[in-house]
């Protein structure tokens, strides 16, 4: 590849100046790759955030502010997903009656054990200890 | 929870309120409202950036979430406290409107209830949408809300006039509404009327009647009623008829009275006008009683029958009818009472009832009412009204009987009715009211042809003469032979004015030698108009009369009736010239002045305009220098009449002397009367000089 010098001639000049710029094209390749990578990351981030509704984002902000531990957070999302109310998961955190009603719905639906455990965990963390019924006494 | 950002809480509360139980509701609603208000306060730039990143890449619309929250609160409205309601009602109207519209599909009845309880004018569009919903309850409540909005938007105060339509609890809007908002309310009423067949809500019709006084009113045009009524078979016509028939609100009777001439609702309106419950309803209609003058309304009223019952003074209208009962009549305003009688005349009313009503109008305590009926009363009643205590009533009644403007009023000779009029006019000349006295004096003169000083009397004399010449001349002669000197003098004066002296020459000749000097003097003056030989002979005889006044008038009459002849430089004939020369030295000033006037005015002049015979001018000089004040006075009278205008030329060289003499008398004469006369004379001479000089200057300029 032949380097083609670039000559700048100002209007009115009698002869060309002695400045000459040379462009090394091979330097541009890594820069372009890095820019594309960043754009891809941003695009994916935007896409991921756009898939989440405003209500879910509000719930996430609430979860973050209430400083719940990881286990409780996982339980919350699990229960919400099971009930199909991921958008309204914040309700479970804000209202005890809503939480209890949701847990009741889970009982009715006879969900899996992991979800039941998650619901119990959630209730225990947010409301208090739960008395289990049906013990031998 | 307290540390959760407000914007997050705002986004979550609508979901929470939709799913919480009753136990937590109060607590959460309070928190939600606090959040709602808190989100209005501006946040710092850093907080705004954090909120932005929290929801990135979404852009959270705070106002939309506030609207959503308000919409979630509406179903719980009954459980809100007063303060909490105030918070919601304090939100911007557009936000409330958006919240209501979002709830419209799911909870229309709750929204309608809320609107009926809170008829905020800016939410008229929501009420308009509710109105056409198939839910009858929601539609009814929306119609009621629209009615309240109209009342609030127009600032109508609760009043007994509106009855149950606008209850007393209704409070008009506090803030001043823009025309746009008022227009929104009216536009929704207009749409409601156009879609009346869909909802059939009577409150919309009532709102329309509140806005539209009559078919021609601006309110009616704004609601498009003329177009709707022109459309054949539009449901709103039936709605308006039903509202007019069934509504007991007093203002609807007033509207019925105004809408009566609209053919589509005319029958129902007439029916409503035929039912008047209470004094208020009668007051509302009768205070606009002038509308009765419209032929369409009067024609419609002819079909209205009014019931009657017997009362102490005769049959009276029964209660609940188109006319007020005696008890209701007393509580009406004078404006309304004024139209009761005319309203009764336009309806099918028993003759006895009509008479009783008219009698009560004629004896009404308000002069305005009496005044109205005095004008339409029959002549016998009018005669009574001329004695009314109120000057306006008396004057109107007097004018009603007056001959003002009538070409021929009396028939000559007068009949008994004319004599009654004349007697009444005579009495009224002593009325307490100045206007009545003035009219009566003119009327009395119109009835008496012998009051020669008054033009009305002279007109009566002319009318009599034109209609019956022989009769008038007979009456005139009879009056000339009367005993009262004053009457005879007036008769002679009237004969002169009417140029009838030729017809009464014998009587004049007889009176000229009569005993009464005043009558004789007047008769001699009248003889001067004739110019006949016998009249001249009569004048000659009077020239030698003992009475000065007769002699003076004879001189004047002689000059007037003397044959004109060119002789000795004079226009008078020889005989009269001699008489004038003889009488210019008469001891009586009037005789002397008249003789000199004849000499000055009827003597020939030379080419320069100066009198050829200077006897008259010399005599005037002598009079002005006379020692006797009455002669000086008469001299000034003569100077005033003969020296102005062409008299200046007649006086010739003496003019300047006479002017100086008049000025001297005006300043130095001992008699005040003479001085005053001299001043008047000097003023007239001066005016003549100025006029001549002004005319001379104008001629020179031309």
């Amino acid at each position: 590849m032949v380097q083609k010098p670039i000559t700048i001639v100002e209007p009115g000049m009698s002869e060309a100046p002695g400045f000459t710029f040379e462009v090394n094209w091979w330097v541009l390749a890594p820069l372009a790759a890095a820019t594309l990578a960043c754009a891809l990351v941003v695009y994916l981030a935007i896409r991921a955030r756009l898939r989440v509704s405003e209500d879910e984002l509000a719930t996430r902000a609430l979860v973050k502010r209430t400083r719940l531990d990881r286990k409780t957070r996982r339980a919350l999302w699990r229960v919400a997903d099971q009930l199909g109310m991921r958008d309204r998961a914040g309700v479970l955190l804000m209202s005890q009656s809503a939480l209890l009603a949701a847990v009741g719905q889970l009982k009715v639906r006879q969900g899996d054990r992991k979800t039941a455990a998650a619901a119990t965990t959630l209730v225990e963390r947010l409301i208090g200890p739960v008395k289990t019924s049906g013990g031998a006494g | 929870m307290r540390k959760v950002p407000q914007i997050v809480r705002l986004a979550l509360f609508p979901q929470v309120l939709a799913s919480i139980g009753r136990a937590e509701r109060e607590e959460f609603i309070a928190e939600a409202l606090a959040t709602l208000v808190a989100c209005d306060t501006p946040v710092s730039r850093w907080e705004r950036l954090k909120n932005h990143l929290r929801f990135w890449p979404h852009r959270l619309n705070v106002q939309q979430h506030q609207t959503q929250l308000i919409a979630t609160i509406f179903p719980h409205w009954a459980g809100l406290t007063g303060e909490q309601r105030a918070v919601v009602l304090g939100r911007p109207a557009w936000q409330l409107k958006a919240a209501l519209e979002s709830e419209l599909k799911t909870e229309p009845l709750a929204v309608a209830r809320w609107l009926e309880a809170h008829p905020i004018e800016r939410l008229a569009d929501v009420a308009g949408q509710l109105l056409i919903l198939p839910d009858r309850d929601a539609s009814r409540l929306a119609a009621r809300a629209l009615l309240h909005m109209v009342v609030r938007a127009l600032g109508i105060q609760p009043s007994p006039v509106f009855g149950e339509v606008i209850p007393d609890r209704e409070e008009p809007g506090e803030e001043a509404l823009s025309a746009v908002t008022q227009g929104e309310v009216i536009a929704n009423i207009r749409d409601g009327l156009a879609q009346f067949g869909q909802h059939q809500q009577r409150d919309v019709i009532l709102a329309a009647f509140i806005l539209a006084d009559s078919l021609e009113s601006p309110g009616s045009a704004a609601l498009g009623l003329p177009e709707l009524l022109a459309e054949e078979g539009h449901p709103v016509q039936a709605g308006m008829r039903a509202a007019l028939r069934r509504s007991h609100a007093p203002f609807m009777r007033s509207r019925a009275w105004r809408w009566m001439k609209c053919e589509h609702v005319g029958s129902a309106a007439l029916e409503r006008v035929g039912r008047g419950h209470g004094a208020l309803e009668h007051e509302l209609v009768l205070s606009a009683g002038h509308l009765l003058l419209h032929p369409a309304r009067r024609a419609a009223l002819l079909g209205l029958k009014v019931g009657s019952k017997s009362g102490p003074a005769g049959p009276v209208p029964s209660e609940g009818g188109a006319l007020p009962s005696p008890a209701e009549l007393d509580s009406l305003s004078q404006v309304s009472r004024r139209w009761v009688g005319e309203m009764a005349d336009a309806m099918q009313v028993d003759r006895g009832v009509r008479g009783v009503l008219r009698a009560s109008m004629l004896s009404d305590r308000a002069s305005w009412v009496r005044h109205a009926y005095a004008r339409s009363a029959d002549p016998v009643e009018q005669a009574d009204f001329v004695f009314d205590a109120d000057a306006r009533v008396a004057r109107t009644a007097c004018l009603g009987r007056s001959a003002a403007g009538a070409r021929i009023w009396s028939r000559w000779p007068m009949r008994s009715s004319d004599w009654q009029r004349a007697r009444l006019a005579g009495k009224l000349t002593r009325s307490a009211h100045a206007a009545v006295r003035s009219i009566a004096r003119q009327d009395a003169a119109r009835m008496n042809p012998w009051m020669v000083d008054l033009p009305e009397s002279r007109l009566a004399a002319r009318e009599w003469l034109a209609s019956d010449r022989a009769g008038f001349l007979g009456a005139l002669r009879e009056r000339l032979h009367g005993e009262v000197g004053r009457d005879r003098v007036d008769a002679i004066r009237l004969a002169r004015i009417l140029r009838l002296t030729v017809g009464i020459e014998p009587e004049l000749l007889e009176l000229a030698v009569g005993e009464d000097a005043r009558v004789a003097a007047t008769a001699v003056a009248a003889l001067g108009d004739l110019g006949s030989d016998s009249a001249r002979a009569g004048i000659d005889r009077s020239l030698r009369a003992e009475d000065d006044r007769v002699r003076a008038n004879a001189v004047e009459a002689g000059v007037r009736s003397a044959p004109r002849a060119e002789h000795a430089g004079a226009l008078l004939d020889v005989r009269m010239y001699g008489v004038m020369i003889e009488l210019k030295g008469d001891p009586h000033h009037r005789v002397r002045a008249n003789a000199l006037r004849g000499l000055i005015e009827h003597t020939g002049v030379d080419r320069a305009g100066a009198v050829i015979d200077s006897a008259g001018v010399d005599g005037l000089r002598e009079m002005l220098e006379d020692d006797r004040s009455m002669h000086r006075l008469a001299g000034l009278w003569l100077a005033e009449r003969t020296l102005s205008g062409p008299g200046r030329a007649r006086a010739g060289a003496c003019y300047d002397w006479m002017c100086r003499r008049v000025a001297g008398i005006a300043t130095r004469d001992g008699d005040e009367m003479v001085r005053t006369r001299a001043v008047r004379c000097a003023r007239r001479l001066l005016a003549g000089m100025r006029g001549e000089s002004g005319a001379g200057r104008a001629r020179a300029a031309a």
Side-chain angles (χ1 to χ4, degrees):
Chain A
M1 189 176 177
V2 179
Q3 299 292 323
K4 188 177 182 181
I6 299 170
T7 305
I8 298 171
V9 179
E10 292 183 5
M13 289 177 70
S14 57
E15 58 181 13
F19 306 115
T20 306
F21 299 95
E22 291 184 3
V23 179
N24 295 319
W25 294 104
W26 61 268
V27 178
L28 290 177
L31 283 174
T35 307
L36 283 173
C38 287
L40 183 65
V41 168
V42 170
Y43 166 72
L44 290 173
I46 289 174
R47 194 176 165 211
R49 293 277 288 187
L50 278 175
R51 284 188 176 180
V52 181
S53 67
E54 287 180 6
D55 295 333
E56 189 178 336
L57 288 175
T59 306
R60 285 184 186 180
L62 180 68
V63 169
K64 192 178 174 186
R65 280 288 178 165
T66 46
R67 298 178 192 280
L68 295 176
D69 56 87
R70 189 165 173 272
K71 195 178 177 184
T72 312
R73 286 203 305 270
R74 287 176 67 86
L76 172 69
W77 292 121
R78 190 177 193 89
V79 169
D81 286 339
Q82 188 65 30
L83 290 170
M85 53 182 289
R86 195 174 175 85
D87 289 349
R88 294 178 287 124
V91 177
L92 303 178
L93 287 179
M94 292 178 79
S95 165
Q96 291 184 359
S97 63
L99 176 61
L100 292 174
V103 171
Q105 276 188 352
L106 275 180
K107 292 270 184 187
V108 172
R109 289 184 184 181
Q110 293 293 320
D112 59 333
R113 291 179 62 186
K114 281 187 178 178
T115 308
T120 309
T121 307
L122 193 61
V123 172
E124 278 179 350
R125 296 293 167 91
L126 294 178
I127 300 173
V130 178
K131 287 182 180 177
T132 52
S133 59
Chain B
M1 281 291 285
R2 296 289 173 198
K3 293 176 184 174
V4 179
Q6 297 291 351
I7 190 118
V8 174
R9 292 156 66 92
L10 182 67
L12 289 172
F13 265 126
Q15 303 165 9
V16 176
L17 286 175
S19 55
I20 54 171
R22 193 170 293 175
E24 291 173 321
R25 190 176 294 161
E26 285 182 16
E27 181 194 348
F28 274 97
I29 284 176
E31 281 189 28
L33 288 172
T35 306
L36 188 71
V37 176
C39 284
D40 287 335
T41 52
V43 291
S44 65
R45 191 176 293 177
W46 173 241
E47 191 66 29
R48 209 160 47 237
L49 179 64
K50 281 202 294 184
N51 286 340
H52 190 65
L53 288 174
R54 244 176 227 129
F55 292 96
W56 180 84
H58 299 279
R59 297 185 68 84
L60 195 69
N61 189 339
V62 177
Q63 291 177 336
Q64 188 183 342
H65 277 81
Q66 284 178 320
T67 304
Q68 200 178 343
L69 182 56
I70 293 168
T72 322
I73 289 172
F74 275 132
H76 309 295
W77 188 260
L80 297 192
T81 62
E83 288 178 6
Q84 288 171 337
R85 287 183 180 191
V87 169
V88 176
L89 291 172
R91 302 305 302 171
W94 66 266
Q95 211 166 45
L96 291 174
K97 186 177 166 186
L100 286 173
E101 281 175 344
S102 69
E103 284 291 296
L104 207 60
K105 289 175 186 171
T106 52
E107 296 277 350
L109 194 58
V111 173
R113 278 203 192 99
W114 188 88
L115 262 184
E116 198 262 341
H118 304 93
I120 300 167
E121 298 84 351
R122 291 188 180 89
L123 305 178
D125 286 344
V126 184
Q129 292 174 43
L130 278 168
L131 193 63
I132 52 171
L133 290 181
D135 188 337
R136 297 290 298 165
D137 289 336
S139 178
R140 181 178 53 78
L141 291 168
R144 172 62 49 169
L146 270 178
L147 177 63
H148 293 330
M149 284 174 193
V150 167
V151 172
R152 286 167 57 99
L154 300 183
I156 299 171
Q157 301 288 337
S159 155
V161 170
F162 294 101
E164 79 277 9
V165 175
I166 304 176
D168 287 343
R169 67 176 175 83
E170 189 70 48
E171 291 175 4
E174 290 173 4
E175 57 181 324
L177 289 177
S178 66
V180 176
T181 310
Q182 288 179 337
E184 276 177 23
V185 178
I186 291 170
N188 279 286
I189 297 286
R190 183 188 176 115
D191 293 344
L193 288 173
Q195 298 161 341
F196 184 75
Q198 222 171 320
H199 56 79
Q200 300 276 342
Q201 293 301 331
R202 198 167 61 101
D203 283 339
V204 178
I205 301 285
L206 291 176
F209 271 123
I210 288 175
L211 286 168
D213 283 351
S214 63
L215 187 60
E216 299 82 11
S217 66
S220 181
L223 294 174
L225 282 173
E227 292 82 12
L228 293 178
L229 290 171
E231 201 176 314
E232 192 63 38
H234 194 281
V236 83
Q237 298 169 7
M240 289 176 78
R241 282 196 294 272
L244 283 169
R245 282 199 178 99
R246 291 174 195 164
S247 175
H248 296 289
F251 89 100
M252 285 299 278
R253 188 164 186 256
S254 165
R255 295 293 188 268
W257 176 233
R258 289 173 187 275
W259 278 86
M260 212 168 78
K261 66 187 176 67
C262 173
E263 58 175 330
H264 298 287
V265 296
S267 58
L270 182 65
E271 195 179 311
R272 183 68 180 90
V273 169
R275 284 186 284 116
H277 299 288
L280 181 58
E281 287 199 358
H282 290 296
E283 175 72 37
L284 287 173
V285 169
L286 290 167
S287 59
H290 59 278
L291 298 177
L292 179 67
L293 302 176
H294 195 289
R297 211 170 265 115
R298 185 175 277 271
L301 277 183
L302 277 175
L304 199 61
K305 196 169 183 179
V306 179
S308 63
K309 64 177 185 179
S310 60
V316 291
S318 54
E319 284 87 359
L323 291 174
S325 64
E328 291 164 340
L329 191 63
D330 288 339
S331 58
L332 293 182
S333 68
Q334 62 171 4
V335 178
S336 301
R337 290 202 304 275
R338 182 248 177 274
W339 291 103
V340 171
E342 296 202 16
M343 195 76 96
D345 289 344
M347 295 174 184
Q348 287 183 31
V349 185
D350 183 61
R351 184 176 291 179
V353 174
R354 212 171 273 177
V356 168
L357 285 175
R358 180 169 284 278
S360 71
M361 298 299 109
L362 291 174
S363 58
D364 197 276
R365 60 184 179 275
S367 59
W368 198 67
V369 180
R370 291 201 306 276
H371 184 265
Y373 286 90
R375 295 166 69 177
S376 60
D378 58 56
V380 178
E381 285 171 338
Q382 274 188 354
D384 294 338
F385 276 104
V386 295
F387 298 103
D388 198 282
D390 189 89
R392 291 162 298 180
V393 178
R395 179 179 172 275
T396 304
C398 195
L399 267 180
R401 297 179 56 76
S402 167
R407 191 168 173 272
I408 296 173
W409 194 53
S410 304
R411 293 146 298 187
W412 305 98
M414 289 204 295
R415 298 176 188 175
S416 60
S417 59
D418 297 330
W419 282 115
Q420 280 180 0
R421 283 182 181 182
R423 274 198 295 276
L424 182 62
K427 284 178 190 169
L428 291 176
T429 54
R430 298 185 296 278
S431 169
H433 311 302
V436 174
R437 286 199 302 274
S438 169
I439 297 166
R441 267 196 294 273
Q442 294 172 37
D443 285 345
R446 197 86 159 78
M447 307 291 294
N448 185 355
W450 310 116
M451 299 165 77
V452 69
D453 290 324
L454 299 175
E456 296 87 0
S457 176
R458 293 199 295 272
L459 176 63
R462 282 182 201 282
E463 284 175 356
W464 189 358
L465 180 66
S467 61
D468 180 15
R469 187 178 181 86
F472 181 73
L473 284 174
L476 186 66
R477 288 194 189 98
E478 194 179 326
R479 207 157 177 89
L480 287 171
H481 289 116
E483 291 180 355
V484 183
R486 169 89 191 177
D487 290 353
R488 287 188 285 174
V489 168
D490 284 348
I492 296 168
R493 287 176 62 202
L494 183 62
R496 289 187 70 185
I497 289 168
L498 300 179
R499 299 179 189 280
L500 294 172
T501 45
V502 177
I504 55 167
E505 187 177 346
E507 285 80 9
L508 290 176
L509 288 169
E510 188 183 333
L511 290 171
V513 293
E515 290 178 358
D516 191 335
R518 192 168 174 191
V519 176
T522 312
V524 168
L527 285 174
D529 298 340
L530 295 172
S532 63
D533 292 338
S534 56
R536 282 198 203 99
I539 292 169
D540 285 346
R541 278 198 298 277
S542 298
L543 285 170
R544 293 184 294 276
E546 288 182 8
D547 188 76
D548 301 327
R549 203 162 17 185
V550 175
R551 259 196 342 273
N553 281 8
V555 168
E556 195 181 3
V559 170
R560 265 192 292 127
S561 65
R564 304 288 184 260
E566 192 74 36
H567 179 77
L571 293 172
L572 297 169
D573 67 338
V574 180
R575 188 185 57 78
M576 189 52 70
Y577 181 74
V579 170
M580 294 298 119
I581 292 292
E582 184 186 341
L583 291 176
K584 80 183 180 69
D586 197 277
H588 192 261
H589 59 280
R590 278 189 62 192
V591 179
R592 198 179 168 193
N594 280 346
L596 287 171
R597 188 179 185 184
L599 282 173
I600 293 171
E601 290 184 348
H602 297 280
T603 305
V605 292
D606 59 14
R607 286 183 178 176
V611 288
I612 297 168
D613 183 359
S614 63
V617 178
D618 293 342
L620 176 57
R621 285 184 64 166
E622 286 171 13
M623 278 196 88
L624 290 174
E625 288 180 322
D626 204 301
D627 296 337
R628 295 164 290 184
S629 63
M630 292 308 288
H631 282 255
R632 288 200 302 282
L633 192 71
L636 288 167
W637 172 83
L638 183 58
E640 195 179 334
R641 273 157 185 74
T642 56
L643 294 183
S644 58
R648 183 174 182 176
R650 284 200 199 100
C654 297
Y655 184 77
D656 291 341
W657 180 90
M658 285 191 195
C659 288
R660 282 198 300 276
R661 179 62 190 153
V662 169
I665 293 172
T667 51
R668 289 190 295 275
D669 199 280
D671 194 332
E672 189 183 349
M673 199 162 58
V674 176
R675 275 205 311 277
T676 308
R677 187 83 200 199
V679 168
R680 208 168 86 181
C681 178
R683 199 173 286 155
R684 189 161 174 183
L685 293 176
L686 202 59
M689 286 180 209
R690 279 179 184 156
E692 280 182 12
S693 61
R697 272 200 301 276
R699 276 196 299 274

